[in-house]
């Protein structure tokens, strides 16, 4: 405590000032901005729950308070006391008639807060991420992310799913890919960071019926795009006695719930972020469904009309511009199902109507945000799964336990994975996933 | 589908049969056990939500159904239809008068389910963990764990905390310990698996006020005890403008909430596990609080009376038998505060009353379960923190961003960390943490 100029009043937070209108409260936070206009000071305070403008007429306060505040450095920590006054022009709906101030720590004049209100380069901001998170836009994104994280678990908790946490350290790759972080595990063994908990929660689904996992996953991918992180959070439901139709219904209800929760709780934050909420208000189940073949036909038609640059080859996966074109035809996420089995994962159940297709779905977000959910029904036959593992050149012994699940009470089952950061990027309307997580890990950055 | 003998009825789960008394329902699950007594079969089915006994009198069903069921192998997957009848002697409160049966996959006679009802060795069970999780006790533990995971987040979500996820891949050790999993990070850099998100969420607490993190943490420790995993889940709250007293109050209210949630939702599971719930019913805030000095005096007294084997040396940390003796004096968790700073972490705030002590707390669980929470107020002075980092021989440049938090609006702040697996072990009354998580990672095991 460096300077104290009478601090009294109920401790309150900016988000809950509606309950204190007309009262004298004490807010604990930081000086976010300060404007002086003759004999009036207009400090803006932040406390993590929001920001509020204070009004300080020189005549209404002691000289000491006026001078202390007038010379206060940005991001200094304070306890500020004042009367809460409703003001319809204020973003929070309230202003504070400041009566007292305690400076907890004054930022030194020689080392001002490094992030000013002017523009900074991305590298500078990422290098100062521990401070950048304090700025209103970044704080708003993190609050929205927290609600997405909560809703992502809550939907399953409220619908009969049991959370089962798969291991992060795994003895081998889930899908046999090569982009794995590898480390020594006490000498002889190698361990790898998980890319998906799916295989493990197939085991717990056969124990508990409906389950989900929710944790970090990793990809040692040397790509530097606005959609890639090396460390990202994934939520994955898995259901016993479920077929593709159940998975589609779950996906559309799930995403609708998450968007509704954000809209319910974060109108102010979405405004700070600059998100067009009308684009989110349409996100309600049911979602459009098209097969891979229909999507291909849509692209062929668009190419014929000169609406897209590159021709999509039947049987190939969709590229990012293909996905953007497809998703732009709809005002809500589109569920593309039954892709060619050839380029999909070994564990996907073939479509009985056309075994060259997999019973799978990619959910493409609107506005070009790409795939946010990927799911499938899983192969439930022991013999088929065994031959798939062999065809893909995967080591049978490492997958023996996974094959066991088809030997002891196999059932139709399936689920999906949803990447949290892509969902945050889409819901907040962000250009780059690096702003979707407190401390992004990318090809070139593991600091701070 | 291998055999179908008329399956109709509303799809239901065993946990929700109370809503279907007297009705005909179809359950989807597995044959857990089967007893035959002359012309009566007593199959027990499980579906992940619970178990139920069926009654099948030979005279009441078709010969095909009777023979199919009589010869059915354990853990075969089935859809079973029957009438729900209340029976106060049944553990679930209901029995099923079986009318129809569809066998989804019959476990082959040559490869019976490997986990029988007799005792197996721990290695065998851990090697078959993907199947072991299906047994009633393990399923019950996982359901309780899921509720603990949920309550652990929910309490904070409902009390103004924002979840902020710290990175798992970090450039250096949080507390400068050596038990780190290390890996290459794209060539030049090394990355380490996090042991705690605390330092990172101190940054987000100064942005958002009250925050928490919830994720896996890692320790490459070569110890093989019943309390150690190499991978475990940790939940960590951090509060700006908080002192030790706030941390103590949060800890006792938090643990009380979690225990109450388990008691509310899992009476049947706790019975299956064999937990003495009377030991949990006393877990209500406020918790007893004793200082390190008082705990030492308690141990000195016990040693003098011959109640403990080894003398506790004043100034030393407590050993496991010391913690057990201390916790046994109380019927709820005991909060031991103000340990000697000498053996505590560098970031702990000294007690102004006695700077050789730290403003910290260890919460010791009852019944010898040891430390379940460790927390502290953090050093908020730049100069003191800097000299602490230097004294501990930690690299200043790696901690520069952490020091920045004391330069730009420092405030009294603090929080704690709670290990989920130890809490699950304590609440379920388990001997070993390996049963507290779906796929435990220990010194000798990363499979399956
Ligand atoms: Mg795709
Ligand atoms: Mg200790």
């Amino acid at each position: 405590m460096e300077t104290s100029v009478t601090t009294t009043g109920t401790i309150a937070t900016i988000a809950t000032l509606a309950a204190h209108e007309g009262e004298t409260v004490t807010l604990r936070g930081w000086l976010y901005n300060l404007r002086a206009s003759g004999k009036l000071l207009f400090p803006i305070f932040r406390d993590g729950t929001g920001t509020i403008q204070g009004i300080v007429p020189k005549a209404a306060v002691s000289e000491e308070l006026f001078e202390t505040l007038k010379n206060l450095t940005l991001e200094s920590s304070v306890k500020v006391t004042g009367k809460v006054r409703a003001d319809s022009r204020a973003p929070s709906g309230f202003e504070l008639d400041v009566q007292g101030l305690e400076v907890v720590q004054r930022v030194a004049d020689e080392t001002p807060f490094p992030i000013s209100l002017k523009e900074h380069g991305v590298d500078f901001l990422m290098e100062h991420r521990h401070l950048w998170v304090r700025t209103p836009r970044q704080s708003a994104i993190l609050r929205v992310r927290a609600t997405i994280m909560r809703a992502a678990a809550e939907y399953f908790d409220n619908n009969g799913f049991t959370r089962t946490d798969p291991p992060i350290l795994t003895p081998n790759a889930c899908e046999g890919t090569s982009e794995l972080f590898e480390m020594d595990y006490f000498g002889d063994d190698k361990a790898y960071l998980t890319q998906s908990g799916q295989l493990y929660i197939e085991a717990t689904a056969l124990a508990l019926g409906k389950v989900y996992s929710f944790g970090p996953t990793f990809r040692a991918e040397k790509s530097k795009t606005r959609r890639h992180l090396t460390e990202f959070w994934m939520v994955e439901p898995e259901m016993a006695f479920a077929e593709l139709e159940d998975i589609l219904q779950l996906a559309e209800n799930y995403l609708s719930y998450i968007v509704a929760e954000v809209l319910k709780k974060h109108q102010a934050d979405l405004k700070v972020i600059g998100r067009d909420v009308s684009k989110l208000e349409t996100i309600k189940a049911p979602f459009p469904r098209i097969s891979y073949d229909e999507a291909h036909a849509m692209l062929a038609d668009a190419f014929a009309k000169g609406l897209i640059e590159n021709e999509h080859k039947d049987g190939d996966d969709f590229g990012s511009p293909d996905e953007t074109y497809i998703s732009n035809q709809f005002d809500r996420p589109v569920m593309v199902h039954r892709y060619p089995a050839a380029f999909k994962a070994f564990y996907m159940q073939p479509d009985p109507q056309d075994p060259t297709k997999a019973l799978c779905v990619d959910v493409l977000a609107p506005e070009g945000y790409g795939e946010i959910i990927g799911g499938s029904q899983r192969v439930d036959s022991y013999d088929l799964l065994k031959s798939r593992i062999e065809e893909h050149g995967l080591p049978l012994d490492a997958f023996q336990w996974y094959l066991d699940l088809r030997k002891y009470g196999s059932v139709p089952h399936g689920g999906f994975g949803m990447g949290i950061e892509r969902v945050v990027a889409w819901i907040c309307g962000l250009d780059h996933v690096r702003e979707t997580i407190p401390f992004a890990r990318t090809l070139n950055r593991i600091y701070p």
Side-chain angles (χ1 to χ4, degrees), chain A residues 11 97 107 117 203 231 329 368 399:
Chain A
I11 302 279
D97 291 322
V107 174
L117 301 179
E231 175 184 318
Q329 310 314 307
F399 287 93

Side-chain angles (χ1 to χ4, degrees), chain A residues 114-145:
Chain A
I115 300 178
S116 58
L117 301 179
K118 67 173 168 59
E119 289 281 311
H120 290 282
V122 165
D123 277 345
F124 180 87
L125 291 172
M126 288 303 284
E127 191 74 12
H128 292 85
R129 183 65 175 164
H130 56 293
L131 303 177
W132 189 25
V133 290
R134 300 186 186 189
T135 59
R137 178 182 160 87
Q138 297 304 313
S139 287
I141 293 168
L142 292 187
R143 281 190 295 263
V144 171
R145 175 191 168 92

Side-chain angles (χ1 to χ4, degrees), chain A residues 101-120:
Chain A
L101 178 77
E102 178 188 325
V103 178
V104 180
Q105 190 246 340
R106 188 176 184 282
V107 174
D109 294 291
E110 313 83 74
T111 58
F113 189 66
I115 300 178
S116 58
L117 301 179
K118 67 173 168 59
E119 289 281 311
H120 290 282

Side-chain angles (χ1 to χ4, degrees), chain A residues 317-318 323 339 344 362 371:
Chain A
D317 200 358
F318 300 124
E323 290 186 350
Y339 283 70
K344 285 291 187 182
D362 275 9
E371 181 195 329

